[in-house]
Amino acid sequence: MSLIVLNWKDLLSVDEAKDLLNEYLAGWHEGWANKDQLVICPSNIALGRLSTIPLPAGIYWGVQNLAPVMERPLTGENGGAEVAGLGGKFVLLNHVERELVGEDSDRLADRILNAVSNNLTPIICATETQLEEIIGVLLVLSSEEAKSKLLIAFEPSTAVGGVEPWALARAEELINGWRARFERELKIEVGFLYGGGIRAEDLRSFLGSEALQGVLLGRLSLQPELVMQAIQ
């Protein structure tokens, strides 16, 4: 089964996000849920409006970040309980664009724990240089449950934003190597997604890769007709 994560970033107004959601809902067949699942990650503001719209089997809500603490109240952060209350099931963590606001991996373990404590699946984004950091974070993470539930979205530094996407074979080679290290050093099996400038014509082959559990899409996620063609 492939997980297709749609990161809409902050590229859409609330009304545009609603229109895009309706396009996905119109094109989705519930029978696809047996082999593919969509995770839609709109902006925080849009999710508050869109979460009242019923989703069919195989489509889930996600958010683009989570607070590093569970205590409330907490101004200006996504609370895990709040996200779960809106129907959220997944959360992106450590996306490379978070560096633009000064965020790093120092509190990543806390964000992972917040996610798992609220029944959210953490999807940890990592470039090829950050994967080493992720192993370090997980080595000190005390929760075995958290380690067993997380996913890694590998985003090559040269591919973010579609600058220089990696070929599938190159991505598979690196991911298989890292999967072996996770099993050897952390004694856990981790599912890997690939993200970073996937072209529409290559999406089907990435979804068919045995090395991947899915993909993370940025700008391509704004073109539902192309995503749906790859799923069919």
Side-chain angles (χ1 to χ4, degrees):
M1 181 175 293
S2 292
L3 196 67
I4 304 159
V5 183
L6 312 177
N7 181 13
W8 292 352
K9 306 176 186 283
D10 62 346
L11 298 173
L12 304 170
S13 69
V14 173
D15 287 339
E16 289 171 337
K18 184 177 181 180
D19 290 342
L20 188 58
L21 172 63
N22 285 332
E23 288 189 59
Y24 273 104
L25 295 181
W28 180 257
H29 298 281
E30 291 196 25
W32 293 348
N34 296 321
K35 66 180 184 69
D36 294 304
Q37 296 182 335
L38 287 182
V39 177
I40 300 177
C41 300
S43 69
N44 299 337
I45 295 173
L47 179 59
R49 286 267 301 274
L50 301 180
S51 62
T52 60
I53 299 174
L55 298 180
I59 301 183
Y60 304 94
W61 292 121
V63 292
Q64 300 173 17
N65 202 16
L66 200 66
V69 296
M70 288 180 275
E71 290 80 6
R72 302 172 75 180
L74 190 64
T75 300
E77 290 279 2
N78 286 335
E82 178 186 23
V83 172
L86 290 173
K89 299 296 183 184
F90 295 83
V91 56
L92 296 175
L93 297 175
N94 202 55
H95 193 281
V96 65
E97 291 168 359
R98 298 301 303 167
E99 294 179 357
L100 299 175
V101 292
E103 188 176 298
D104 55 30
S105 61
D106 285 351
R107 301 295 302 277
L108 179 57
D110 296 322
R111 297 178 195 276
I112 295 170
L113 290 174
N114 191 1
V116 174
S117 296
N118 288 283
N119 296 314
L120 304 172
T121 298
I123 302 173
I124 304 172
C125 303
T127 67
E128 63 273 29
T129 58
Q130 291 176 318
L131 282 167
E132 200 75 42
E133 295 178 32
I134 302 305
I135 286 184
V137 168
L138 298 182
L139 280 171
V140 300
L141 187 64
S142 58
S143 171
E144 293 302 320
E145 179 188 13
K147 293 178 185 178
S148 68
K149 288 187 175 181
L150 60 84
L151 298 167
I152 304 290
F154 170 56
E155 296 187 290
S157 56
T158 58
V160 175
V163 178
E164 188 182 330
W166 279 29
L168 175 59
R170 184 182 180 190
E172 288 176 327
E173 181 179 7
L174 183 141
I175 286 170
N176 284 331
W178 278 99
R179 178 180 287 110
R181 281 198 60 188
F182 274 79
E183 293 176 357
R184 183 174 64 252
E185 298 179 25
L186 297 171
K187 304 298 188 291
I188 58 174
E189 295 184 7
V190 176
F192 276 84
L193 314 181
Y194 175 83
I198 297 178
R199 299 187 179 97
E201 59 268 26
D202 298 327
L203 179 55
R204 190 185 296 272
S205 61
F206 275 91
L207 290 174
S209 170
E210 293 185 0
L212 299 174
Q213 280 63 56
V215 295
L216 172 60
L217 305 179
R219 292 187 181 276
L220 182 56
S221 72
L222 305 182
Q223 303 181 67
E225 69 284 356
L226 298 180
V227 175
M228 295 299 187
Q229 286 174 13
I231 294 175
Q232 293 175 6

